[in-house]
């Protein structure tokens, strides 16, 4: 079964929500910051009729890169590591299903 961008976004946000209960303040910040980028990228993909998950991932990557000046170097690392962790986790979950 092919996963839609909306499904992928939902799954990412659920994985992020699961982290909230035990997250540090820095992790909560990274979570919230990244969720905004994911939602905006998903919306842009849907409006452009882009259905490939690679498009969503590329849009999130580009958005994070463009917004680097908004974050301290430490926050950049936290957000980047969270994004990589989520992608890895979701790739594993998709393979296992």
């Amino acid at each position: 079964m092919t996963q839609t961008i909306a499904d992928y976004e939902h799954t990412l946000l659920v994985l992020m929500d699961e982290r909230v209960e035990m997250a540090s303040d820095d992790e909560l910040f990274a979570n919230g910051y990244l969720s905004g980028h994911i939602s905006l990228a998903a919306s842009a993909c849907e409006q452009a009729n882009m259905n490939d998950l690679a498009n969503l991932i590329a849009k999130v990557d580009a958005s994070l890169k463009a917004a680097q000046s908004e974050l301290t170097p430490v926050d950049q690392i936290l957000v980047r590591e969270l994004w990589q962790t989520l992608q890895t986790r979701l790739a594993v979950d998709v393979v296992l299903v």
Side-chain angles (χ1 to χ4, degrees), residues 4 17 24-25 37 46 48 54 56 58 61 65 67 76-80 84 92 94-95:
T4 67
D17 286 347
S24 68
D25 288 345
H37 284 270
E46 289 171 358
L56 174 65
D61 288 340
K65 184 173 179 145
Q76 289 176 26
I77 292 168
L78 285 170
V79 171
R80 190 175 334 118
Q84 290 170 348
V92 169
V94 169
V95 170

Side-chain angles (χ1 to χ4, degrees), residues 2-93:
T2 303
Q3 199 173 33
T4 67
I5 285 178
D7 293 336
Y8 191 80
E9 175 191 19
H10 174 75
T11 303
L12 284 169
L13 296 177
V14 166
L15 289 173
M16 293 170 81
D17 286 347
E18 289 174 357
R19 303 170 61 91
V20 168
E21 189 173 316
M22 302 187 69
S24 68
D25 288 345
D26 288 339
E27 291 167 332
L28 288 173
F29 167 77
N31 224 24
Y33 186 83
L34 181 57
S35 71
H37 284 270
I38 291 168
S39 293
L40 287 172
S43 177
C45 286
E46 289 171 358
Q47 288 178 358
N49 291 321
M50 295 178 178
N51 299 317
D52 189 348
L53 296 180
N55 290 324
L56 174 65
I57 292 167
K59 283 198 172 294
V60 173
D61 288 340
S63 179
L64 291 174
K65 184 173 179 145
Q68 279 183 341
S69 65
E70 296 176 354
L71 302 174
T72 66
V74 171
D75 287 341
Q76 289 176 26
I77 292 168
L78 285 170
V79 171
R80 190 175 334 118
E81 286 178 351
L82 175 57
W83 178 225
Q84 290 170 348
T85 298
L86 290 169
Q87 289 179 78
T88 301
R89 170 101 186 268
L90 197 53
V92 169
D93 286 350

